[in-house]
Amino acid sequence: MEMSTFPASSSASHYDFAANFFLDVPTLTKPHQRWRLAFKAIYSTRALLSLLINKKNQFLTHLSHSPSYTALDINDHDYTDSIVPFSKLNLDTLVAIVKEKNLGILDQFGGIHGVASTLKVDYKNGINGSTEDVTRRSNVFGSNTYRKPPAKGFFRFVVEGFKDTTILILLVCVVLSLGFGIKEDGIKDGWYDGGSIFLAVFLVIFVSAISNFKQSRQFEKLSEKSNDIRVDVIRDGRRQQISIFEIVVGDIVVLKIGDQIPADGLFLDGHSLKVDESSMTGESDHVDINGDQNPFMISGAKVADGYGRMLVTSVGINTTWGEMMNSISRETEEQTPLQARLNKLTSYIGKVGLAVAFVVLVVMLVRYFTGNTQDEKGNREFNGRRTKFDDVMNAVVGIVSAAVTIVVVAIPEGLPLAVTLTLAYSMKKMMADHALVRKLSACETMGSVTTICTDKTGTLTLNQMKVTEFWVGEEALVTDGAFKVIEPSVLQLLQEGVCLNTTGDVCRSNSGTVPEFSGSPTEKAILSWAVLDLGTDVDEVKQSCTVLHVEAFNSEKKRSGVLIRKKGEKAICVHWKGAAEILLALCSSYFDRTETAKPMTEGERMKHEQIIKGMAAKSLRCIAFAYKPISEVEESRNATQKLEEDELILLGLVGLKDPCRPGVSKAVEACREAGVNIKMITGDNVFTARAIAIECGILRADEDLNNGTVVEGVEFRNYSPEEREEKVDTIRVMARSSPFDKLLMVQCLKEKGHVVAVTGDGTNDAPALKEADIGLSMGIQGTEVAKESSDIVILDDNFNSVVTVLKWGRCVYNNIQKFIQFQLTVNAAALVINFVAAVSSGKVPLTAVQLLWVNLIMDTLGALALATEQPTKELLEKPPVGRTEPLITKVMWRNLIAQALYQVTVLLILQFKGMAIFGVEEKIKDTIIFNTFVLCQVFNEFNARKLEKKNIFEGIHKNQLFLGIVGMTLILQVVMVELLKKFANTERLNWGQWCASIGIAALSWPIGWVVKSMPVSDKPFFSLFKH
């Protein structure tokens, strides 16, 4: 905009907005252009009128004395970008940079710095990070989520229930029964038989569908939780952890070994960064990431080595990972080994039931067509050609439906349902106890674990590191204020070694003076010591030096190195930090606090070794700092190749204290009582490892520690396979171990028949986590690679939670055994009663509707009641189940056979002598049989709560769901008998008959008590049900 100059006045401020408004910006579409032009004209007119009114006299004077004038040149330009941020940015082009790995498009933006500038990102401090900024970016570029295929709805579960073959046969019987019944008795009375069967079938399916639907939703929630990864980002100059779903375009993400790349982005800075893109591209080779040839980082890839920072350029469905996840169907239902075994058991029992039902069908049809059956009035039902076709069909449909219903009751569909219920329930409870189950099979397998191989740091200890000892040369210095007594040159080298050779960071907030430390607990402890005790200014040290090359820390080398050059100087040097005894072996001299470099003679080396052992005996982790100046000739070679690690100069030693977790010794003792061996595998030296193991109760202070209980990784590695197999059971602590040593131990233990659980947190732990029967990764310190390789994530990194998982695993197995015992008792009793009755009298005492009601009680309600039993202390007083234990134990067979024999005996007596005993007609006798049978199952449900203990009521008040289901079953049974006469084909019972039914059923309690007093031998019962 061009203007002539007015006399200086306050009205000049009126032009400020206009001056900004008419800036040159890209052209809008034609409709927008017309609106823009109209606005500009109106605004200019108002500005002139304002001047005329406010400065009328001055303005007139100027007009009369001078020919000067004001001219507004209104340019047809856009001002959108100041009102709508990022409007100039083409989103598709931005997305294409990383998706297509296109350096050409990146150059058009002006390189990575150009993209950062376009996205309004500060290269060092990241985005503003305010709620408004994050929301605006999310609205413009999308959120870091993807559209999931819709979950299976409730109706789908109902439809699936109707697809069952036996249910379909029953529905055909329903249709035929309805047709013939209505034709014979009219609509008013003829629908009862068919309608009641349909209602019973529908009730069974409906209740099962509700249960399955609820469990499906439960698994969905747990799946969402496991996908919620925590990511380190820099916002407003502060490093902070946020959910992967909260990442927005423009975020600067801090990545280290084992991290998953959360979105598509560009490499900003870092060292030795290599990523594994195999999950996206299928290529197993690691890809080098750098700022020149390949700055492209794709979501879903894992960091294999090094560390760095990344600028996010696209999120959610705009990323390669998001596109792939968007197209993946969720119809992948995992079947656990126990579910597979139970399906085989179900199939086997189903075949037995089918055979019984077929025999019943044939016998009843033969008896009917030979005239050996009578109706309610005592007349023969079949009289050859004189019998109406409708009557014959009604009788045949009734016989077929009774036989089919026997199959329905015989097939224990409730077994897989019970597993699903107990797994879902235990997963929910374990989540509350800080354990996230990633694989369903882990719940049940955990109950069989015989050995747990655990890490030390963060699992047995609190992972709250603090530097408590500091040695320079052979002199221990007070950590607080140590900088006052060390020579400035030695202090400077120590500060460089700490600040430049770290993956941690220090941030000072604007408001306070207390700095915030980020990174691993070890890095935070060392940085905290350097800043607060050595008086280090981290930013100043970083700005005074240039990092030329980095060798990142990994658990095999147990050290990290950095090659640096001071700004303005030619000399370069290498700094190393790592395990004290490993670095000590590489040193040829050492500094004392007076800046004197002394040769590392054998005597001096032994003294330093004694210092390290002394710190280790106090359970301290020992870290050494060393450095080496490098000549200019070696500079170019060192910048690209391995850093020099010989002839180093020792700068100092620090001891870090990591206290044991409260209650860890009790947890270790609980495992020992449960017959589970605990083996501690750590990267610390043998003395630190031994001290921690004694503190945690893995080793006893008074026992001989030279008998092979404590070994080093290299020693274990060098054993022959035979030696390893011989000694592996004795080993309780393995120090200075590599991930390969951990893998070797797991393989060796499995070969010896152990069921092994392993804890791990690093990327290199992935092979051992996968190899183990149960992989337990750490939720706080664990890398994403470790978590993906594991079966269960311990959310609080606490060994107590590992013991809780063990308890829940045993509880799952125990609950399923309880339900198997309960269900097989019902199956056996129902099959025998109906078979004997059908063969002897031609009629089944339990009708289709009654059997379907029993099926509902035992399959769904019984599963729900027994699957939700809480774990008890007794579970950890037994030895582990192991691989070869049968699913149905001899204790279960003893209980099952006793209860089934009692039920069959009582009910057959009622079948043949009930009318005489009670002096009632047949229909009331059949109702008494039905009522007694159902009540027997209710009372037997209490017996099933405890497989071995005689006190079946112990802890029952804690399981309110069990009591609720038993109460509901009793109420519904009263309704079935007393009110639903036509529906359930029952007759009302008097008080005496009810008391008799309850008394007979209640006898199962004392019988159970007596039976549990009978000992069982150790010899296997049925090899059929073995693993």
Side-chain angles (χ1 to χ4, degrees), residues 265-337:
L266 297 166
F267 173 76
L268 286 180
D269 51 48
H271 293 282
S272 312
L273 192 62
K274 291 185 178 183
V275 299
D276 175 8
E277 296 181 353
S278 58
S279 60
M280 302 301 301
T281 63
E283 295 292 332
S284 57
D285 292 339
H286 293 164
V287 179
D288 282 307
I289 301 293
N290 52 64
D292 303 323
Q293 288 86 25
N294 183 28
F296 310 110
M297 304 179 74
I298 59 173
S299 56
K302 311 288 189 308
V303 179
D305 197 8
Y307 58 88
R309 298 192 310 153
M310 178 190 90
L311 173 66
V312 175
T313 56
S314 49
V315 293
I317 56 171
N318 293 322
T319 65
T320 317
W321 178 262
E323 259 185 7
M324 186 178 76
M325 293 305 289
N326 209 26
S327 62
I328 291 175
S329 169
R330 72 200 310 145
E331 292 296 316
T332 52
E333 292 182 4
E334 178 192 356
Q335 189 179 54
T336 72

Side-chain angles (χ1 to χ4, degrees), residues 573-589:
C573 66
V574 62
H575 278 278
W576 285 100
K577 175 182 75 180
E581 70 274 20
I582 290 176
L583 276 188
L584 180 63
L586 302 173
C587 291
S588 61
S589 54

Side-chain angles (χ1 to χ4, degrees), residues 647-664:
E647 304 291 318
L648 302 180
I649 303 171
L650 185 67
L651 295 173
L653 301 168
V654 291
L656 287 80
K657 180 69 177 173
D658 186 11
C660 273
R661 284 185 179 275
V664 75

Side-chain angles (χ1 to χ4, degrees), residues 379-396:
N379 302 320
R380 276 178 61 174
E381 285 188 303
F382 184 75
N383 294 303
R385 293 183 179 179
R386 285 176 292 170
T387 310
K388 293 179 185 177
F389 175 75
D390 287 356
D391 291 341
V392 173
M393 286 308 296
N394 256 339
V396 169

